[in-house]
Amino acid sequence: MSGTYLGMPSFPEAARGAVRDATLRGNLRHATHTIRDKRARAVAELDDWAALREAGKRVKDHTLRHLDRYLLQVEAAVTAAGGTVHWAADADEANRIVADLVKATGESEVVKVKSMATQEIGLNEALEAEGIHAYETDLAELIVQLGRDRPSHILVPAIHRNRGEIRDVFRAEMGAWGRPAPEGLTDAPVELAEAARLHLREKFLRAKVGISGANFMVAETGTLVVVESEGNGRMCLTLPETLISVVGIEKVVPTWRDLEIFLQLLPRSSTAERMNPYTTMWTGTTDGDGPRAFHLVLLDNGRTDTLADEVGRQALRCIRCSACLNVCPVYERAGGHAYGSVYPGPIGAILSPQLRGTASEIDASLPYASSLCGACYDVCPVAIDIPEVLVHLREKVADQGGKGHRLERAAMKAATWLLDHPAALTAGERLASRTRKLHPDRLPGPGARQWTNSRDLPDLPAEPFRDWWKKNRA
């Protein structure tokens, strides 16, 4: 990936400030509870939800096993339909391709559909370095961009903001980016939406280049699919003369019949709707209809490495619905920024360390950003066993060493020796019981203190179990 956010500390350190922010926690609690309750009702309407979920899992697993074949099929179909396909091994290459394509048009402005892939590679910043202004058109992404903020949720990037904060951002920043906010703007949702609509309309009508991602690519026809709720995506995908789509290689599905499964799974799991208000599909270019030039940038950026891990590769099934975030007790309290990635929550805790590796402090800590309660697996529409991958990644992080893991390994060796020598174990138990009044309530050392700051050490009994057994049962 393009790297973690600048100066990002480990997850526990980053989350410490978030859990003390009462406004942030209130915003997150209200939003996540509302979304997950609506989702539960939408899913309950379908008697065959479990079968749909299993079908989605199987299609994704099949596609990942034969990804090389389906990607070549996508390339051939897109090319035959008048599009141009580019292959990007990493973020730098993808950014360079997009910047060159925009500069070739002679334009210095682009409008963007909400896209996790372009956020992942830091495309906006890369374009800015080339003198190209990228304007986000999704309402939540617009809020984040105007506020010089970072997204904190996959579906609702500005979930950490309340209406009053959004009003203040619009009043202070809209004028520097284009049409200013109306005089007397309040925090009423209808007024905020109208301010965004007026601000964006001039950009839609002026822009000659649009940039998007895609929710799915259909291999048999080379068709790309974007689902959204506001209509801004439809404007970006149809009005500009040039369309550039940056899409992760895992987004391919083999056939239209396979797509049918995901168009039922995704809306209910994400926005709790039976279907998305806007589902836009396009295949290459067509004279007199839509963009004259279409470029597809197929992005690897760590996905091939992830695919090589038999346990971890299931993270590539993800359809970015964000259901796992809305049920996660850790995300609800820590917020999305603590994850140091555009992929927060449970899916981010397993996806980011695989795409980026676990060399950095934040990526090594992400697999531990979970209680392993399993709620994320229960709601995942493609049955990603996130707890299984978390434990798998924890094992990898432990194997690479570090002070805490060395101490843990030494403690395990000492415990193994003690359990192999019954006489020493008995003597140790008796000594511990006789000195129990001298034992501290908290363990010494920074690592141990983190554990016992929120947990009491159990009181030792007056005598070891072995001695009690001899008296009462022998």
Side-chain angles (χ1 to χ4, degrees):
M1 292 176 73
S2 58
T4 57
Y5 293 124
L6 185 62
M8 198 70 204
S10 67
F11 180 85
E13 186 178 343
R16 190 171 292 117
V19 298
R20 295 171 180 163
D21 187 333
T23 300
L24 173 66
R25 291 187 63 176
N27 294 345
L28 289 171
R29 181 170 55 253
H30 172 73
T32 56
H33 284 224
T34 300
I35 296 171
R36 76 190 192 197
D37 291 345
K38 288 175 62 180
R39 177 204 170 273
R41 291 193 294 270
V43 166
E45 292 179 351
L46 297 183
D47 294 333
D48 63 344
W49 180 258
L52 273 172
R53 185 180 190 237
E54 179 63 22
K57 171 187 173 182
R58 292 189 179 189
V59 168
K60 279 289 186 177
D61 282 346
H62 165 80
T63 308
L64 291 172
R65 283 196 301 272
H66 303 284
L67 192 56
D68 53 345
R69 169 160 56 94
Y70 288 120
L71 287 174
L72 291 176
Q73 189 177 0
V74 166
E75 181 183 37
V78 169
T79 303
T84 304
V85 177
H86 310 262
W87 298 80
D90 55 27
D92 290 339
E93 186 174 9
N95 288 333
R96 187 166 59 252
I97 290 169
V98 175
D100 288 345
L101 290 171
V102 176
K103 286 191 286 187
T105 67
E107 297 296 319
S108 60
E109 293 183 345
V110 301
V111 288
K112 290 183 73 241
V113 187
K114 179 178 180 296
S115 163
M116 301 301 297
T118 60
Q119 289 178 5
E120 174 189 323
I121 63 177
L123 179 61
N124 288 8
E125 294 77 9
L127 292 178
E128 185 178 357
E130 298 288 339
I132 301 167
H133 301 288
Y135 298 111
E136 297 290 350
T137 63
D138 173 85
L139 177 56
E141 291 287 1
L142 175 66
I143 295 165
V144 169
Q145 186 175 50
L146 293 178
R148 296 174 178 82
D149 204 347
R150 292 184 281 119
S152 62
H153 192 277
I154 289 176
L155 178 66
V156 194
I159 196 172
H160 57 288
R161 297 281 198 180
N162 59 37
R163 292 185 301 175
E165 293 171 318
I166 295 168
R167 175 204 59 210
D168 294 342
V169 168
F170 280 9
R171 284 176 173 177
E173 302 295 339
M174 266 188 171
W177 290 77
R179 180 169 179 157
E183 290 290 332
L185 179 67
T186 73
D187 65 356
V190 65
E191 290 191 31
L192 295 174
E194 180 64 12
R197 186 180 297 113
L198 294 172
H199 177 82
L200 291 171
R201 186 170 295 160
E202 63 176 28
K203 301 192 185 312
F204 290 135
L205 297 176
R206 187 175 66 230
K208 303 295 184 183
V209 180
I211 295 178
S212 80
N215 295 97
F216 307 102
M217 299 182 291
V218 182
E220 67 179 352
T221 58
T223 301
L224 274 71
V225 183
V226 164
V227 297
E228 40 110 7
S229 300
E230 299 173 16
N232 65 295
R234 181 71 56 83
M235 302 288 277
C236 292
L237 295 167
T238 57
L239 289 180
E241 296 175 358
T242 300
L243 175 60
I244 305 167
S245 299
V246 182
V247 186
I249 57 176
E250 82 280 15
K251 293 297 186 72
V252 64
V253 296
T255 68
W256 280 86
R257 292 192 66 182
D258 298 320
L259 177 65
E260 176 189 348
I261 298 168
F262 298 103
L263 291 183
Q264 296 178 75
L265 290 171
L266 180 55
R268 291 177 187 269
S269 289
S270 56
T271 56
E273 296 170 300
R274 296 181 180 93
M275 66 179 291
N276 291 93
Y278 295 90
T279 300
T280 305
M281 305 180 184
W282 70 100
T283 307
T285 60
T286 302
D287 291 339
D289 184 14
R292 301 175 189 171
F294 169 56
H295 297 270
L296 171 61
V297 182
L298 292 171
L299 178 69
D300 188 325
N301 205 35
R303 287 159 174 78
T304 298
D305 292 336
T306 304
L307 191 61
D309 188 323
E310 292 186 3
V311 177
R313 71 172 59 146
Q314 59 185 296
L316 296 179
R317 289 186 210 143
C318 178
I319 58 175
R320 310 292 192 266
C321 70
S322 78
C324 61
L325 281 69
N326 300 324
V327 298
C328 178
V330 176
Y331 173 84
E332 181 184 322
R333 287 156 179 81
H337 292 157
Y339 292 83
S341 167
V342 299
Y343 302 113
I347 187 61
I350 65 171
L351 187 58
S352 298
Q354 295 191 87
L355 296 180
R356 302 190 300 209
T358 54
S360 70
E361 189 176 8
I362 180 67
D363 288 314
S365 68
L366 284 178
Y368 297 89
S370 170
S371 65
L372 299 179
C373 67
C376 50
Y377 172 61
D378 291 340
V379 298
C380 178
V382 286
I384 301 171
D385 193 339
I386 294 177
E388 178 188 34
V389 182
L390 285 168
V391 173
H392 172 66
L393 292 175
R394 289 180 185 187
E395 182 180 357
K396 283 191 168 186
V397 172
D399 287 343
Q400 72 187 23
K403 182 180 177 181
H405 297 296
R406 287 195 295 270
L407 291 173
E408 183 181 21
R409 204 170 286 121
M412 290 298 104
K413 286 184 178 179
T416 300
W417 182 90
L418 193 63
L419 293 170
D420 282 343
H421 296 79
L425 177 61
T426 300
E429 289 174 341
R430 287 173 179 166
L431 178 63
S433 292
R434 289 168 186 168
T435 60
R436 64 196 184 106
K437 291 184 179 180
L438 304 176
H439 296 173
D441 295 330
R442 300 284 183 268
L443 292 175
R449 274 200 301 270
Q450 286 183 8
W451 182 260
T452 55
N453 277 345
S454 56
R455 300 169 180 84
D456 292 328
L457 288 174
D459 294 329
L460 287 173
E463 61 178 343
F465 175 76
R466 293 164 182 261
D467 292 348
W468 179 90
W469 183 265
K470 287 179 180 179
K471 290 179 184 178
N472 296 279
R473 294 288 187 272

